[in-house]
């Protein structure tokens, strides 16, 4: 495996997390999936080892590290347990990143230290029944009342809703239609009028505690306003880097796990008196999978390094997310094929690997939306040929 110019500290982080995740998190991965149970106890272990709030600056109790370190950690977590890797994002993903980038000093003071310690898990809530790719159609509304806000409406598909204490919620504020009228608020679990609705059971990532959010005359104080309308582009720019961490990184880690496991399987399983791995046609499948994984890792590491160097671009982010999403579906699907009926059996991890990555092509901007973003840059002549 190439080392991509990783520093000694980065290699140490990668190797330590890999050992920790294989020892502590891999054994419970199948159970978390089967029982639809978020493995929150693993976040405590991560906190004990200093792997929560990596991105949060040291002045707020974090490690002040970059996106590259986040990617190295999430990749190794996902190799062991995709649901744990998703929960890691609750301390080092969208909401902490938004707080660091755009939060008020009081909001940072109130939340970042606890997030860095892994005590406060966070969720990010944008989607609604009629606002998925079309973020500008958010209908959940915050209305000013006294010195605070009253929120009414509901949200869908909120990852980690069942275990999070703090929610960054996109809401419609004021009269403007479309994106111009969308702002954001911070809502704490337990606020009267705010409840976690139905558990939402998707094909995979069943241990992420995804749920609906319901706001019924939920009153929040004025200081919980996070972003006035008209500033959504700023929030989306801050979150652009985050698109590289949880989603495609989890895809990469899961694809690596599927590849590693199935390679061993075809070396061991005998058919026609010899190992499956002796069949040249199957060797070529392994080679294609290796090519796919290596290309995805190169894209992801390069994009993360560019973000850390302040050179991120929408093309990097979108090309990386869309490619890695599709790579993971190809690789995990092929792993099931190479496994034969074992590949589809719940006794083995391959069907779970496929289920865990399949939804990533939809979450955090669908592959089609990212392809549209790439095409826009290409057609405008901003893509460097
Ligand atoms: C695993 C997972 C985790 C998620 N976690 C969260 C979360 O934590 N918080 C949150 O707020 N949301 C979350 N979501 C929701 C996610 O953000 C939405 O599912 C996503 O934005 C797509 O919206 P949609 O499902 O309504 O699909 P739609 O927007 O209805 O799209 C349906 C299809 O049409 C295509 N399409 C739509 N518009 C266009 C267009 N203009 N051009 C071309 N094709 C188009 C899409 O690509 C897709 O194939 C999660 C989803 C998944 C699967």
């Amino acid at each position: 495996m190439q080392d991509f110019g990783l520093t000694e500290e980065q290699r140490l982080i990668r190797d330590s997390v890999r050992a920790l995740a294989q020892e502590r998190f891999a054994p419970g991965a199948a159970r978390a999936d089967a029982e639809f149970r978020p493995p929150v106890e693993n976040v405590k272990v991560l906190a004990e080892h200093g792997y929560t709030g990596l991105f949060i600056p040291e002045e707020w109790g974090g490690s002040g590290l970059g996106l590259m370190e986040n990617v190295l950690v999430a990749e190794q977590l996902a190799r062991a347990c995709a649901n744990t890797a998703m929960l890691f994002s609750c301390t080092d993903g969208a909401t902490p990143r938004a707080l660091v980038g755009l939060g008020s000093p009081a909001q940072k003071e109130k939340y970042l230290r606890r997030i860095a310690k892994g005590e406060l898990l966070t969720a990010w809530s944008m989607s609604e029944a009629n606002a998925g790719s079309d973020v500008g159609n958010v209908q959940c509304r915050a209305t000013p009342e006294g010195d605070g806000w009253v929120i009414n409406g509901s949200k869908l598909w909120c990852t980690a809703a069942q275990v999070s204490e703090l929610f960054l919620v996109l809401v419609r504020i004021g009269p403007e239609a479309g994106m111009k009228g969308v702002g954001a608020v911070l809502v704490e679990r337990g606020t009267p009028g705010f409840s976690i609705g139905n558990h939402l059971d998707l094909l995979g990532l069943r241990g992420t505690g995804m749920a609906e959010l319901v706001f019924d005359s939920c009153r929040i104080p004025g200081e919980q306003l996070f972003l006035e309308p008209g500033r959504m582009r700023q929030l989306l720019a801050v979150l652009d880097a985050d698109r590289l961490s949880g989603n495609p990184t989890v895809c990469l880690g899961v694809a690596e796990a599927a590849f590693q496991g199935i390679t061993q399987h075809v070396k061991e399983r005998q058919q026609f008196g010899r190992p499956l791995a002796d069949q040249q046609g199957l060797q070529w499948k392994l080679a294609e999978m290796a090519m796919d994984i290596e290309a995805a890792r190169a894209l992801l590491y390069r994009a993360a390094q560019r973000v850390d160097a302040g050179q991120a671009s929408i093309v990097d982010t979108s090309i990386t997310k869309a490619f890695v999403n599709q790579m993971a579906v190809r690789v995990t699907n092929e792993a099931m094929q190479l496994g034969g009926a074992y590949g589809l059996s719940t006794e083995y991890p391959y069907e779970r690997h496929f289920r865990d990555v399949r939804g990533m092509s939809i979450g955090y901007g669908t592959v089609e939306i990212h392809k549209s973003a790439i095409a826009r840059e290409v057609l405008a002549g901003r893509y460097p040929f």
Side-chain angles (χ1 to χ4, degrees):
M1 194 208 292
Q2 289 181 46
D3 230 354
F4 299 96
L6 298 181
T7 64
E8 204 179 322
E9 190 193 1
Q10 288 171 335
R11 287 199 300 271
L12 188 66
I13 290 174
R14 178 194 63 195
D15 296 345
S16 312
V17 175
R18 183 171 184 161
L20 179 73
Q22 290 302 324
E23 186 196 333
R24 304 285 296 274
F25 308 149
R31 206 173 61 244
D33 171 74
E35 295 174 358
F36 299 86
R37 194 185 60 78
V40 275
E41 65 282 3
N42 293 349
V43 180
K44 284 208 177 74
V45 176
L46 287 173
E48 281 161 20
H49 287 79
Y51 295 126
T52 46
L54 296 184
F55 166 80
I56 295 173
E58 290 179 49
E59 61 173 310
W60 305 109
S63 306
L65 295 172
L67 187 64
M68 191 64 226
E69 285 82 4
N70 170 299
V71 164
L72 293 170
V73 170
E75 179 187 355
Q76 296 307 324
L77 295 178
R79 279 179 88 133
C81 173
N83 290 306
T84 300
M86 293 298 282
L87 295 186
F88 161 70
S89 294
C90 297
T91 75
D92 211 52
T95 298
R97 217 162 263 277
L99 271 167
V100 169
L102 297 169
S104 70
Q107 288 165 349
K108 289 180 183 172
E109 185 64 47
K110 191 171 179 189
Y111 297 121
L112 284 178
R113 284 177 216 286
R114 292 181 56 214
I115 297 172
K117 282 189 201 156
E119 292 171 3
L120 182 82
L121 299 189
T122 66
W124 144 258
S125 178
M126 174 200 84
S127 307
E128 297 179 6
N130 292 309
S133 302
D134 185 7
V135 189
N137 197 37
V138 158
Q139 298 301 320
C140 184
R141 180 171 280 280
T143 313
E145 190 185 279
D147 57 2
W149 299 87
V150 178
I151 309 168
N152 278 294
S154 63
K155 292 281 179 183
L156 280 182
W157 320 122
C158 183
T159 298
Q162 291 179 330
V163 294
S164 289
E165 296 290 324
L166 181 67
F167 297 78
L168 179 57
V169 185
L170 298 201
V171 286
R172 183 155 296 287
I173 301 179
E176 293 254 44
M179 193 75 117
K180 283 188 182 154
V182 178
V185 290
L186 288 164
V187 186
E188 294 179 10
R189 176 184 286 269
T191 306
F194 170 44
S195 55
I196 310 299
N198 292 326
H199 165 75
L200 299 171
D201 171 20
L202 297 189
L203 180 71
L205 296 175
R206 291 178 163 174
T208 57
M210 179 181 268
E212 187 183 0
L213 309 183
V214 181
F215 299 91
D216 182 7
S217 298
C218 169
R219 286 180 172 68
I220 56 165
E223 61 266 23
Q224 295 301 98
L225 177 68
F226 183 74
L227 202 74
E228 314 85 54
R231 294 181 60 203
M232 271 304 290
R233 299 248 167 257
Q234 274 175 279
L235 179 59
L236 295 177
V238 168
L239 294 183
D240 205 39
D242 189 58
R243 289 179 201 280
L244 295 174
S245 59
N247 181 308
T249 305
V250 170
C251 284
L252 177 63
V254 173
E256 288 167 350
F259 179 62
Q260 188 183 14
I262 210 65
T263 301
Q264 196 58 31
H265 177 86
V266 295
K267 281 163 78 177
E268 288 168 4
R269 179 157 172 79
Q270 303 270 330
Q271 290 292 284
F272 304 100
R274 53 191 180 139
L276 287 174
D278 280 6
Q279 304 286 348
Q280 190 185 45
L282 302 191
Q283 291 173 7
W284 285 3
K285 282 178 187 280
L286 292 178
E288 295 271 353
M289 292 159 86
M291 286 152 62
D292 241 356
I293 289 173
E294 202 57 27
R297 193 190 292 115
L299 272 177
L300 187 54
Y301 283 19
R302 185 192 67 163
Q305 285 167 340
R306 283 200 188 164
V307 168
D308 288 340
Q311 297 164 351
S313 80
I314 180 79
V315 180
D316 277 334
T317 319
S318 291
I319 287 181
T320 302
K321 185 192 180 285
F323 183 86
V324 182
N325 286 164
Q326 294 184 327
M327 172 285 296
V329 172
R330 283 194 295 271
V331 167
T332 56
N333 191 37
E334 199 66 286
M336 288 194 300
Q337 185 69 18
L338 284 169
Y342 297 102
L344 303 181
S345 164
T346 53
E347 298 285 311
Y348 288 79
Y350 306 109
E351 56 84 35
R352 170 165 50 86
H353 289 148
F354 177 78
R355 289 190 288 103
D356 282 346
V357 299
R358 183 59 188 85
M360 295 302 209
S361 298
I362 292 172
Y364 233 159
T366 66
V367 160
E368 291 78 12
I369 292 293
H370 283 282
K371 285 182 179 171
S372 292
I374 298 163
R376 209 166 32 244
E377 297 299 299
V378 169
L379 295 173
R382 289 190 290 265
Y383 178 75
F385 289 100

